[in-house]
Amino acid sequence: MKRIAIFGSGRGSNAKNIIEYFKFHKNISIKLMVTNKSGAGIITVGKENKIPTLIIEDHKQDLNDKILKTLTENLIDFVVLAGFLLKIPSTLINKFPNCIINIHPALLPKYGGKGMYGINVHKAVLKNNETVSGITIHFVNEDYDKGEIIFQAKCSVLPNDSPKLLSKKIQKLEHQFYPIIIEKLITNEH
Ligand code: GAR
């Protein structure tokens, strides 16, 4: 059984969707949630599914020590970031080589980097009159949104799209593809 931890700071819709997808899976199980926001939706999602949730403070030492300890205690094999807004420390990246992935709500390398998260990304895409946007699933390395790209899917951006509407289209793609890509990665390579 491969044991996954999901990290999130937001609403938790991806976390919820991933948990549902793997609920009765033979080889993959969600065993831990990690968040840096005491009010994050992901905490409710964890409670509803009886998955332990680690809530961390926003400073580096806490991130390093507490997360590493809890991941080890829970025998975690693979880390899935779903709207987690803190930078992952290099100690964690080194402990989980090619086993930490992230989803980004745009077609990287465009619209990535610090400050580019959630609705900010969609606002920037619309401001530049892009006609296409999408999702990127990538490995996590020391630079924000710069790890090797694993998968992308596209959607059209229409002239009248609002940031909210675009975010709905993107989340639909995220929910459609993130669990499948996680499953493929873990089943084929781990
Ligand atoms: C997702 O759209 C994800 O792509 C984005 O945060 C949202 C979290 O939604 N992540 C980033 O912007 C990372 N740079 P959720 O909490 O409903 O899963």
Side-chain angles (χ1 to χ4, degrees):
M1 182 64 84
K2 291 290 176 190
R3 301 166 68 90
I4 298 186
I6 302 179
F7 288 29
S9 318
R11 251 176 2 113
S13 73
N14 276 288
K16 188 171 191 275
N17 180 57
I18 293 166
I19 290 167
E20 270 161 26
Y21 185 89
F22 290 110
K23 208 158 206 165
F24 303 107
H25 200 280
K26 284 202 315 283
N27 314 111
I28 297 170
S29 182
I30 315 303
K31 293 294 186 194
L32 179 71
M33 316 283 267
V34 176
T35 187
N36 64 314
K37 289 264 181 289
S38 54
I42 201 168
I43 298 175
T44 318
V45 175
K47 266 194 198 138
E48 281 168 2
N49 290 281
K50 302 191 174 56
I51 299 171
T53 302
L54 170 69
I55 304 172
I56 48 155
E57 306 291 329
D58 275 10
H59 54 83
K60 227 179 177 173
Q61 204 50 39
D62 200 40
L63 247 182
N64 265 325
D65 297 350
K66 273 204 187 144
I67 295 185
L68 262 180
K69 186 167 170 278
T70 315
L71 291 179
T72 311
E73 279 169 3
N74 285 275
L75 306 171
I76 297 301
D77 303 292
F78 199 86
V79 174
V80 169
L81 308 186
F84 188 65
L85 299 182
L86 295 184
K87 198 161 191 280
I88 299 296
S90 37
T91 24
L92 204 61
I93 294 169
N94 295 335
K95 280 256 174 191
F96 289 85
N98 281 342
C99 290
I100 308 179
I101 62 169
N102 180 42
I103 192 159
H104 187 77
L107 296 171
L108 292 173
K110 282 173 124 182
Y111 304 104
K114 208 168 177 354
M116 275 295 170
Y117 60 87
I119 206 81
N120 295 348
V121 177
H122 308 311
K123 282 183 180 162
V125 166
L126 289 167
K127 199 173 163 203
N128 284 346
N129 298 315
E130 299 281 3
T131 53
V132 176
S133 190
I135 61 168
T136 303
I137 298 170
H138 64 94
F139 288 112
V140 172
N141 66 11
E142 269 107 12
D143 296 320
Y144 264 116
D145 302 328
K146 294 240 173 89
E148 185 195 337
I149 293 175
I150 301 161
F151 174 84
Q152 292 186 308
K154 293 178 182 168
C155 66
S156 55
V157 182
L158 302 175
N160 287 336
D161 280 353
S162 62
K164 207 167 168 192
L165 198 76
L166 184 54
S167 106
K168 280 201 175 145
K169 285 192 210 173
I170 298 283
Q171 286 238 300
K172 204 168 162 206
L173 287 179
E174 293 185 335
H175 297 166
Q176 184 183 351
F177 289 112
Y178 208 10
I180 299 173
I181 298 300
I182 295 167
E183 186 177 31
K184 271 199 182 152
L185 271 176
I186 294 183
T187 328
N188 295 342
E189 293 167 28
H190 293 269

